[in-house]
Amino acid sequence: VDMGVGYELGPVLSTRETDLRGARAEGALFDVERLLDKAMRDGLSSVRIIHGRGTGALRQAIRDLLDGHPLVKSFAPEEPERGGDGATIVYLI
């Protein structure tokens, strides 16, 4: 008799990036956490976060979250031809 516990993981990520341009930091950080969790669950090695350039406040809030995050191996600004400092590439553990 199978007495295992059932659980629902939800759908596999359809993309490995999220576009947060124009978002407020609080909501954006929640979205980043959710993206990292799902990416790890789905076995992805990296994700891309588009935050735009603007004042830099959103970029800084996101990078502060990533710095020392338990699922993050490293992160860096995207390549210049892919958005430069308007996006961050995140490598997962």
Coordinates of all heavy atoms in Angstrom, one line a residue:
V1 N 0.9 -1.2 0.0 CA 0.0 0.0 0.0 C 0.9 1.2 0.0 O 1.8 1.4 0.9 CB -0.9 0.0 1.2 CG1 -1.7 1.3 1.3 CG2 -1.8 -1.2 1.2
D2 N 0.7 2.1 -1.0 CA 1.5 3.3 -1.1 C 0.9 4.4 -0.2 O -0.2 4.9 -0.4 CB 1.5 3.8 -2.5 CG 2.3 5.1 -2.7 OD1 3.0 5.5 -1.8 OD2 2.3 5.6 -3.8
M3 N 1.6 4.8 0.9 CA 1.1 5.8 1.8 C 1.9 7.1 1.6 O 2.0 7.9 2.5 CB 1.3 5.3 3.2 CG 0.5 4.0 3.5 SD -1.3 4.3 3.5 CE -1.5 5.0 5.1
G4 N 2.5 7.3 0.4 CA 3.4 8.5 0.2 C 2.6 9.8 0.2 O 1.4 9.8 0.1
V5 N 3.3 10.8 0.4 CA 2.7 12.1 0.5 C 2.7 12.7 -0.9 O 3.7 12.7 -1.6 CB 3.5 13.1 1.5 CG1 3.0 14.5 1.4 CG2 3.5 12.5 2.9
G6 N 1.5 13.3 -1.3 CA 1.4 13.9 -2.6 C 1.7 15.4 -2.5 O 1.5 16.0 -1.5
Y7 N 2.3 15.9 -3.6 CA 2.5 17.4 -3.6 C 2.5 17.9 -5.0 O 2.7 17.1 -5.9 CB 3.9 17.7 -2.9 CG 5.0 16.9 -3.4 CD1 5.8 17.3 -4.5 CD2 5.4 15.7 -2.8 CE1 6.8 16.6 -5.0 CE2 6.5 15.0 -3.3 CZ 7.2 15.4 -4.4 OH 8.2 14.7 -4.9
E8 N 2.3 19.1 -5.2 CA 2.2 19.7 -6.5 C 3.3 20.8 -6.6 O 3.4 21.7 -5.8 CB 0.8 20.4 -6.7 CG 0.7 21.2 -8.0 CD 0.8 20.3 -9.2 OE1 0.3 19.2 -9.2 OE2 1.5 20.8 -10.1
L9 N 4.2 20.6 -7.6 CA 5.3 21.5 -7.8 C 5.0 22.6 -8.7 O 5.7 23.6 -8.8 CB 6.5 20.7 -8.3 CG 7.1 19.7 -7.4 CD1 8.3 19.0 -8.1 CD2 7.6 20.4 -6.1
G10 N 3.9 22.5 -9.4 CA 3.5 23.5 -10.4 C 4.2 23.3 -11.7 O 5.1 22.4 -11.9
P11 N 3.9 24.1 -12.7 CA 4.5 23.9 -14.1 C 6.0 24.2 -14.1 O 6.5 25.0 -13.3 CB 3.7 24.9 -14.9 CG 3.2 25.9 -14.0 CD 3.0 25.2 -12.7
V12 N 6.6 23.6 -15.1 CA 8.1 23.9 -15.3 C 8.1 25.3 -15.8 O 7.3 25.8 -16.5 CB 8.6 22.9 -16.3 CG1 10.0 23.2 -16.7 CG2 8.6 21.5 -15.8
L13 N 9.2 26.0 -15.5 CA 9.4 27.4 -16.0 C 9.4 27.4 -17.5 O 10.0 26.5 -18.1 CB 10.8 27.9 -15.5 CG 10.9 28.4 -14.1 CD1 12.3 28.8 -13.7 CD2 9.9 29.6 -13.8
S14 N 8.7 28.3 -18.1 CA 8.6 28.4 -19.5 C 9.7 29.3 -20.1 O 10.0 29.2 -21.3 CB 7.3 29.0 -19.9 OG 7.1 30.3 -19.3
T15 N 10.4 30.0 -19.2 CA 11.5 30.9 -19.6 C 12.5 31.0 -18.5 O 12.1 30.8 -17.3 CB 11.1 32.3 -20.1 OG1 12.2 33.1 -20.4 CG2 10.3 33.0 -18.9
R16 N 13.8 31.2 -18.8 CA 14.8 31.3 -17.8 C 15.1 32.8 -17.5 O 16.2 33.1 -17.0 CB 16.0 30.5 -18.0 CG 16.5 30.6 -19.4 CD 17.8 29.8 -19.6 NE 17.7 28.4 -19.5 CZ 18.6 27.6 -18.9 NH1 19.6 28.0 -18.3 NH2 18.3 26.3 -18.8
E17 N 14.2 33.7 -17.8 CA 14.4 35.1 -17.5 C 13.1 35.7 -17.0 O 12.0 35.2 -17.3 CB 15.0 35.9 -18.7 CG 14.0 36.1 -19.8 CD 14.7 36.9 -20.9 OE1 15.9 36.9 -21.1 OE2 14.0 37.6 -21.7
T18 N 13.2 36.9 -16.3 CA 12.1 37.6 -15.9 C 12.4 39.1 -16.2 O 13.5 39.6 -16.0 CB 11.7 37.4 -14.4 OG1 10.5 38.0 -14.1 CG2 12.8 37.9 -13.5
D19 N 11.4 39.8 -16.6 CA 11.5 41.3 -16.9 C 10.8 42.0 -15.8 O 9.6 42.0 -15.7 CB 10.9 41.6 -18.3 CG 11.2 43.0 -18.7 OD1 11.5 43.8 -17.9 OD2 11.0 43.2 -19.9
L20 N 11.6 42.7 -15.0 CA 11.0 43.5 -13.9 C 11.1 45.0 -14.0 O 10.9 45.7 -13.1 CB 11.8 43.1 -12.6 CG 11.7 41.6 -12.3 CD1 12.6 41.2 -11.1 CD2 10.3 41.2 -12.0
R21 N 11.3 45.4 -15.3 CA 11.4 46.9 -15.5 C 10.1 47.6 -15.1 O 9.0 47.1 -15.4 CB 11.7 47.2 -17.0 CG 13.1 46.8 -17.4 CD 13.3 47.0 -18.9 NE 12.6 46.0 -19.6 CZ 12.7 45.8 -20.9 NH1 13.5 46.5 -21.6 NH2 12.0 44.8 -21.5
G22 N 10.3 48.6 -14.3 CA 9.1 49.4 -13.8 C 8.5 48.8 -12.6 O 7.6 49.5 -12.0
A23 N 9.0 47.7 -12.1 CA 8.4 47.1 -10.9 C 8.9 47.8 -9.6 O 10.0 48.4 -9.6 CB 8.7 45.6 -10.8
R24 N 8.1 47.7 -8.6 CA 8.6 48.2 -7.3 C 9.5 47.2 -6.7 O 9.3 46.0 -6.9 CB 7.4 48.5 -6.3 CG 6.5 49.6 -6.8 CD 5.5 50.0 -5.7 NE 4.8 51.2 -6.1 CZ 5.2 52.5 -5.9 NH1 6.4 52.7 -5.3 NH2 4.5 53.5 -6.2
A25 N 10.5 47.6 -5.9 CA 11.5 46.7 -5.4 C 10.9 45.6 -4.6 O 11.3 44.4 -4.7 CB 12.5 47.5 -4.5
E26 N 9.9 45.9 -3.7 CA 9.3 44.8 -2.8 C 8.7 43.7 -3.6 O 9.0 42.5 -3.4 CB 8.3 45.4 -1.9 CG 7.8 44.4 -0.9 CD 6.8 45.1 0.1 OE1 7.0 46.2 0.5 OE2 5.8 44.4 0.4
G27 N 7.9 44.0 -4.6 CA 7.3 43.0 -5.5 C 8.3 42.3 -6.3 O 8.2 41.1 -6.5
A28 N 9.3 43.1 -6.8 CA 10.3 42.5 -7.7 C 11.2 41.5 -6.9 O 11.5 40.4 -7.5 CB 11.2 43.6 -8.2
L29 N 11.5 41.7 -5.7 CA 12.3 40.8 -4.9 C 11.6 39.5 -4.6 O 12.1 38.4 -4.7 CB 12.7 41.5 -3.5 CG 13.7 42.7 -3.7 CD1 14.0 43.2 -2.3 CD2 14.9 42.3 -4.5
F30 N 10.3 39.6 -4.4 CA 9.4 38.4 -4.3 C 9.5 37.6 -5.6 O 9.6 36.4 -5.6 CB 8.0 38.8 -4.0 CG 7.1 37.6 -3.9 CD1 7.0 36.8 -2.7 CD2 6.2 37.3 -4.9 CE1 6.2 35.7 -2.6 CE2 5.4 36.2 -4.8 CZ 5.3 35.4 -3.7
D31 N 9.4 38.3 -6.7 CA 9.4 37.6 -8.0 C 10.8 36.9 -8.3 O 10.9 35.8 -8.8 CB 9.1 38.6 -9.2 CG 7.7 39.0 -9.2 OD1 6.8 38.3 -8.5 OD2 7.4 40.0 -9.8
V32 N 11.9 37.6 -7.8 CA 13.2 37.0 -8.0 C 13.3 35.8 -7.1 O 13.9 34.7 -7.6 CB 14.3 38.1 -7.6 CG1 15.7 37.4 -7.5 CG2 14.3 39.2 -8.6
E33 N 12.9 35.8 -5.9 CA 12.9 34.6 -5.0 C 12.2 33.5 -5.7 O 12.6 32.3 -5.7 CB 12.3 34.9 -3.7 CG 13.1 35.8 -2.7 CD 14.3 34.9 -2.1 OE1 14.4 33.7 -2.4 OE2 14.9 35.5 -1.2
R34 N 11.0 33.7 -6.2 CA 10.2 32.7 -6.8 C 10.9 32.1 -8.1 O 10.9 30.9 -8.3 CB 8.8 33.3 -7.2 CG 7.8 32.2 -7.6 CD 6.4 32.7 -7.7 NE 6.4 33.8 -8.6 CZ 5.5 34.9 -8.6 NH1 4.6 34.9 -7.6 NH2 5.6 35.8 -9.4
L35 N 11.5 33.0 -8.9 CA 12.3 32.6 -10.1 C 13.4 31.7 -9.6 O 13.7 30.6 -10.2 CB 12.8 33.8 -10.8 CG 13.7 33.5 -12.0 CD1 12.9 32.8 -13.1 CD2 14.4 34.7 -12.6
L36 N 14.2 32.1 -8.6 CA 15.3 31.3 -8.2 C 14.9 29.9 -7.7 O 15.5 28.9 -8.0 CB 16.1 32.0 -7.0 CG 16.8 33.3 -7.4 CD1 17.4 34.0 -6.2 CD2 17.8 33.1 -8.5
D37 N 13.8 29.9 -6.9 CA 13.3 28.6 -6.4 C 12.9 27.7 -7.5 O 13.2 26.5 -7.5 CB 12.1 28.8 -5.4 CG 12.5 29.4 -4.1 OD1 13.7 29.4 -3.7 OD2 11.6 29.9 -3.4
K38 N 12.1 28.2 -8.5 CA 11.6 27.4 -9.6 C 12.8 26.9 -10.5 O 12.8 25.8 -11.0 CB 10.5 28.1 -10.4 CG 9.2 28.2 -9.6 CD 8.2 28.9 -10.4 CE 6.9 28.9 -9.6 NZ 5.8 29.5 -10.4
A39 N 13.7 27.8 -10.7 CA 14.9 27.5 -11.5 C 15.7 26.4 -10.9 O 16.1 25.4 -11.6 CB 15.8 28.7 -11.8
M40 N 15.9 26.4 -9.6 CA 16.6 25.3 -8.9 C 15.8 24.0 -9.0 O 16.4 23.0 -9.3 CB 16.8 25.8 -7.4 CG 17.6 24.7 -6.6 SD 19.3 24.4 -7.3 CE 20.0 26.0 -7.0
R41 N 14.5 24.1 -8.8 CA 13.6 22.9 -8.8 C 13.7 22.3 -10.2 O 13.8 21.1 -10.4 CB 12.2 23.4 -8.5 CG 11.2 22.2 -8.7 CD 9.8 22.8 -8.9 NE 9.6 23.4 -10.2 CZ 8.6 24.1 -10.6 NH1 7.6 24.4 -9.8 NH2 8.5 24.6 -11.8
D42 N 13.8 23.1 -11.3 CA 13.8 22.6 -12.6 C 15.2 22.3 -13.1 O 15.4 21.9 -14.3 CB 13.2 23.7 -13.6 CG 11.7 23.9 -13.3 OD1 11.1 23.1 -12.5 OD2 11.1 24.8 -13.9
G43 N 16.2 22.5 -12.3 CA 17.6 22.1 -12.7 C 18.3 23.0 -13.6 O 19.2 22.6 -14.3
L44 N 17.9 24.3 -13.6 CA 18.5 25.3 -14.5 C 19.9 25.7 -13.8 O 20.0 25.7 -12.6 CB 17.7 26.5 -14.7 CG 16.3 26.2 -15.3 CD1 15.5 27.5 -15.4 CD2 16.4 25.5 -16.6
S45 N 20.8 26.0 -14.7 CA 22.1 26.4 -14.2 C 22.2 28.0 -14.1 O 23.1 28.5 -13.4 CB 23.2 25.9 -15.1 OG 23.1 26.4 -16.4
S46 N 21.3 28.7 -14.8 CA 21.4 30.1 -14.7 C 20.0 30.7 -15.1 O 19.2 30.0 -15.7 CB 22.4 30.7 -15.7 OG 22.1 30.4 -17.0
V47 N 19.8 32.0 -14.7 CA 18.6 32.7 -15.0 C 19.1 34.1 -15.3 O 20.1 34.6 -14.9 CB 17.5 32.7 -13.9 CG1 17.0 31.3 -13.7 CG2 18.1 33.3 -12.6
R48 N 18.2 34.9 -16.0 CA 18.5 36.3 -16.4 C 17.4 37.1 -15.8 O 16.2 36.9 -16.0 CB 18.5 36.4 -17.9 CG 18.9 37.7 -18.4 CD 19.1 37.6 -20.0 NE 19.5 38.8 -20.5 CZ 18.8 39.6 -21.3 NH1 17.5 39.2 -21.6 NH2 19.2 40.7 -21.8
I49 N 17.8 38.2 -15.1 CA 16.8 39.2 -14.6 C 17.0 40.5 -15.3 O 18.1 41.1 -15.3 CB 17.1 39.3 -13.1 CG1 17.0 38.0 -12.3 CG2 16.1 40.4 -12.5 CD1 17.5 38.0 -10.9
I50 N 16.0 41.0 -15.9 CA 16.0 42.2 -16.6 C 15.4 43.3 -15.7 O 14.2 43.1 -15.3 CB 15.2 42.2 -17.9 CG1 15.7 41.1 -18.8 CG2 15.2 43.5 -18.6 CD1 14.8 40.7 -20.0
H51 N 16.2 44.3 -15.3 CA 15.7 45.3 -14.3 C 15.8 46.7 -14.9 O 15.3 47.6 -14.3 CB 16.4 45.2 -13.0 CG 17.9 44.9 -13.2 ND1 18.8 45.8 -13.7 CD2 18.6 43.8 -12.8 CE1 20.0 45.3 -13.8 NE2 19.9 44.1 -13.2
G52 N 16.4 46.8 -16.0 CA 16.5 48.2 -16.6 C 17.6 48.9 -15.9 O 18.2 48.5 -15.0
R53 N 17.9 50.1 -16.5 CA 18.9 51.0 -15.9 C 18.3 52.0 -14.9 O 18.7 52.0 -13.8 CB 19.7 51.6 -17.0 CG 20.6 50.7 -17.8 CD 21.5 51.4 -18.8 NE 22.4 50.4 -19.4 CZ 22.1 49.7 -20.5 NH1 21.0 49.9 -21.1 NH2 23.0 48.9 -21.0
G54 N 17.4 52.8 -15.4 CA 16.8 53.8 -14.5 C 17.7 54.4 -13.5 O 18.8 54.8 -13.8
T55 N 17.2 54.6 -12.3 CA 17.9 55.2 -11.2 C 19.0 54.2 -10.6 O 19.9 54.6 -9.9 CB 17.0 55.6 -10.1 OG1 16.4 54.5 -9.5 CG2 16.0 56.6 -10.5
G56 N 18.8 52.9 -10.9 CA 19.7 51.9 -10.4 C 19.2 51.3 -9.0 O 19.8 50.4 -8.5
A57 N 18.1 51.9 -8.5 CA 17.6 51.4 -7.2 C 17.1 50.0 -7.3 O 17.4 49.1 -6.4 CB 16.5 52.3 -6.7
L58 N 16.4 49.6 -8.4 CA 15.9 48.2 -8.5 C 17.0 47.3 -8.7 O 17.1 46.2 -8.1 CB 14.9 48.2 -9.7 CG 14.2 46.8 -9.9 CD1 13.5 46.3 -8.7 CD2 13.3 46.9 -11.1
R59 N 18.0 47.7 -9.6 CA 19.1 46.8 -9.8 C 19.9 46.6 -8.5 O 20.3 45.4 -8.2 CB 20.1 47.5 -10.8 CG 21.4 46.8 -11.0 CD 22.3 47.5 -12.0 NE 22.7 48.8 -11.5 CZ 22.5 50.0 -12.1 NH1 22.0 50.0 -13.4 NH2 22.9 51.1 -11.6
Q60 N 20.1 47.6 -7.7 CA 20.8 47.4 -6.5 C 20.1 46.6 -5.5 O 20.7 45.7 -4.8 CB 21.1 48.8 -5.8 CG 22.1 48.7 -4.7 CD 23.5 48.1 -5.1 OE1 24.1 48.6 -6.1 NE2 23.9 47.1 -4.4
A61 N 18.8 46.7 -5.4 CA 18.0 45.9 -4.5 C 18.0 44.4 -4.9 O 18.2 43.6 -4.0 CB 16.5 46.4 -4.5
I62 N 18.0 44.2 -6.2 CA 18.0 42.8 -6.7 C 19.4 42.2 -6.4 O 19.6 41.1 -5.9 CB 17.7 42.7 -8.2 CG1 16.2 43.0 -8.3 CG2 18.1 41.4 -8.8 CD1 15.7 43.2 -9.7
R63 N 20.5 43.0 -6.7 CA 21.8 42.5 -6.5 C 22.1 42.3 -5.0 O 22.9 41.4 -4.6 CB 22.8 43.3 -7.2 CG 22.7 43.2 -8.7 CD 23.7 44.0 -9.5 NE 23.5 43.8 -10.9 CZ 24.1 44.5 -11.9 NH1 24.9 45.5 -11.5 NH2 23.9 44.3 -13.1
D64 N 21.6 43.1 -4.1 CA 21.8 43.0 -2.7 C 21.1 41.6 -2.3 O 21.7 40.9 -1.4 CB 21.1 44.1 -1.9 CG 21.9 45.4 -2.0 OD1 23.1 45.4 -2.4 OD2 21.4 46.5 -1.6
L65 N 19.9 41.3 -2.8 CA 19.3 40.0 -2.5 C 20.1 38.9 -3.0 O 20.3 37.9 -2.3 CB 17.9 40.0 -3.2 CG 17.2 38.6 -3.1 CD1 16.7 38.4 -1.7 CD2 16.1 38.5 -4.1
L66 N 20.7 39.0 -4.2 CA 21.5 37.9 -4.7 C 22.8 37.6 -4.0 O 23.3 36.5 -3.9 CB 21.8 38.2 -6.2 CG 20.6 38.3 -7.1 CD1 21.1 38.7 -8.5 CD2 19.8 37.0 -7.2
D67 N 23.4 38.7 -3.5 CA 24.7 38.6 -2.8 C 24.5 37.8 -1.5 O 23.8 38.1 -0.6 CB 25.2 40.0 -2.4 CG 26.6 40.0 -2.0 OD1 27.4 39.2 -2.4 OD2 26.9 40.9 -1.1
G68 N 25.1 36.6 -1.5 CA 25.1 35.7 -0.4 C 23.8 34.8 -0.3 O 23.6 34.1 0.6
H69 N 23.0 34.9 -1.4 CA 21.8 34.1 -1.4 C 22.2 32.6 -1.5 O 23.1 32.2 -2.2 CB 20.9 34.4 -2.6 CG 19.6 33.9 -2.6 ND1 19.3 32.5 -2.9 CD2 18.4 34.4 -2.4 CE1 18.0 32.3 -2.8 NE2 17.4 33.4 -2.5
P70 N 21.5 31.7 -0.7 CA 22.0 30.3 -0.7 C 21.8 29.6 -2.0 O 22.5 28.5 -2.2 CB 21.1 29.7 0.4 CG 19.9 30.6 0.6 CD 20.4 32.0 0.2
L71 N 21.0 30.0 -3.0 CA 20.9 29.3 -4.2 C 21.8 29.9 -5.3 O 21.9 29.3 -6.4 CB 19.4 29.4 -4.7 CG 18.4 28.8 -3.8 CD1 17.0 28.9 -4.4 CD2 18.7 27.3 -3.6
V72 N 22.5 31.0 -5.0 CA 23.3 31.7 -6.0 C 24.8 31.4 -5.9 O 25.3 31.7 -4.8 CB 23.0 33.3 -5.9 CG1 23.9 34.0 -6.9 CG2 21.5 33.5 -6.2
K73 N 25.3 30.9 -7.0 CA 26.8 30.7 -7.0 C 27.5 32.0 -7.3 O 28.4 32.4 -6.6 CB 27.2 29.7 -8.1 CG 28.6 29.4 -8.1 CD 29.0 28.5 -9.3 CE 28.1 27.3 -9.6 NZ 28.5 26.5 -10.7
S74 N 27.0 32.8 -8.3 CA 27.6 34.1 -8.7 C 26.6 34.8 -9.6 O 25.6 34.2 -10.1 CB 28.9 33.9 -9.4 OG 28.7 33.2 -10.6
F75 N 26.8 36.1 -9.8 CA 26.0 36.9 -10.7 C 26.8 38.0 -11.2 O 27.9 38.4 -10.6 CB 24.7 37.4 -10.0 CG 25.0 38.4 -8.8 CD1 25.1 39.7 -9.0 CD2 25.2 37.9 -7.5 CE1 25.3 40.6 -7.9 CE2 25.5 38.7 -6.5 CZ 25.5 40.1 -6.7
A76 N 26.4 38.6 -12.3 CA 27.2 39.6 -13.0 C 26.3 40.4 -13.9 O 25.2 39.9 -14.4 CB 28.3 39.0 -13.8
P77 N 26.7 41.6 -14.3 CA 25.9 42.3 -15.3 C 25.9 41.5 -16.6 O 26.9 40.8 -16.9 CB 26.7 43.6 -15.5 CG 27.5 43.8 -14.3 CD 27.8 42.4 -13.8
E78 N 24.9 41.6 -17.4 CA 24.8 40.9 -18.6 C 25.8 41.5 -19.6 O 26.3 42.6 -19.4 CB 23.3 41.1 -19.2 CG 23.0 40.3 -20.4 CD 23.2 38.8 -20.3 OE1 24.3 38.3 -20.5 OE2 22.2 38.1 -20.0
E79 N 26.1 40.7 -20.6 CA 27.0 41.1 -21.7 C 26.5 42.4 -22.3 O 25.2 42.5 -22.4 CB 27.2 40.0 -22.8 CG 27.8 38.7 -22.3 CD 29.2 38.9 -21.8 OE1 29.9 39.7 -22.3 OE2 29.5 38.2 -20.8
P80 N 27.3 43.3 -22.8 CA 26.8 44.6 -23.3 C 25.8 44.4 -24.5 O 24.8 45.1 -24.5 CB 28.1 45.3 -23.9 CG 29.2 44.7 -23.0 CD 28.8 43.3 -22.7
E81 N 26.0 43.4 -25.3 CA 25.0 43.2 -26.4 C 23.7 42.6 -26.0 O 22.8 42.5 -26.7 CB 25.7 42.4 -27.6 CG 26.0 41.0 -27.2 CD 27.4 40.8 -26.5 OE1 28.1 41.9 -26.2 OE2 27.8 39.7 -26.3
R82 N 23.7 42.2 -24.7 CA 22.4 41.6 -24.2 C 21.8 42.4 -23.1 O 21.0 41.9 -22.3 CB 22.7 40.2 -23.7 CG 23.2 39.2 -24.8 CD 22.9 37.8 -24.5 NE 21.5 37.6 -24.3 CZ 20.9 36.7 -23.5 NH1 21.7 35.8 -22.9 NH2 19.7 36.6 -23.4
G83 N 22.2 43.7 -23.0 CA 21.5 44.6 -22.0 C 22.5 45.2 -21.0 O 22.1 46.1 -20.3
G84 N 23.7 44.7 -21.0 CA 24.7 45.3 -20.1 C 24.2 45.4 -18.7 O 23.7 44.5 -18.1
D85 N 24.3 46.6 -18.1 CA 24.0 46.8 -16.7 C 22.4 46.9 -16.5 O 22.0 47.1 -15.3 CB 24.7 48.0 -16.1 CG 25.1 47.8 -14.7 OD1 25.3 46.7 -14.3 OD2 25.2 48.8 -14.0
G86 N 21.7 46.8 -17.5 CA 20.2 46.8 -17.4 C 19.7 45.4 -17.1 O 18.5 45.2 -17.0
A87 N 20.6 44.4 -17.1 CA 20.1 43.0 -16.8 C 21.3 42.3 -16.0 O 22.4 42.7 -16.0 CB 19.9 42.2 -18.1
T88 N 20.9 41.3 -15.2 CA 21.8 40.6 -14.4 C 21.7 39.1 -14.7 O 20.6 38.6 -14.7 CB 21.6 40.8 -12.9 OG1 21.7 42.2 -12.6 CG2 22.5 40.0 -12.0
I89 N 22.8 38.4 -15.0 CA 22.8 37.0 -15.2 C 23.2 36.3 -13.9 O 24.1 36.8 -13.2 CB 23.8 36.6 -16.3 CG1 23.7 35.1 -16.6 CG2 25.2 37.0 -16.1 CD1 22.6 34.7 -17.5
V90 N 22.4 35.3 -13.5 CA 22.6 34.7 -12.2 C 22.9 33.2 -12.4 O 22.2 32.5 -13.1 CB 21.3 34.8 -11.3 CG1 21.5 34.2 -10.0 CG2 20.8 36.2 -11.2
Y91 N 24.0 32.8 -11.8 CA 24.5 31.4 -11.9 C 24.1 30.7 -10.6 O 24.4 31.2 -9.5 CB 25.9 31.3 -12.2 CG 26.3 31.9 -13.5 CD1 26.8 33.2 -13.6 CD2 26.1 31.2 -14.7 CE1 27.1 33.8 -14.8 CE2 26.4 31.9 -15.9 CZ 26.9 33.1 -16.0 OH 27.2 33.8 -17.1
L92 N 23.4 29.6 -10.7 CA 22.9 28.9 -9.5 C 23.8 27.8 -9.1 O 24.7 27.3 -9.9 CB 21.5 28.3 -9.9 CG 20.5 29.3 -10.4 CD1 19.2 28.5 -10.9 CD2 20.1 30.3 -9.3
I93 N 23.7 27.4 -7.8 CA 24.6 26.4 -7.2 C 24.3 25.0 -7.9 O 23.2 24.8 -8.4 CB 24.4 26.3 -5.7 CG1 23.0 26.0 -5.3 CG2 24.9 27.5 -5.0 CD1 22.9 25.6 -3.9

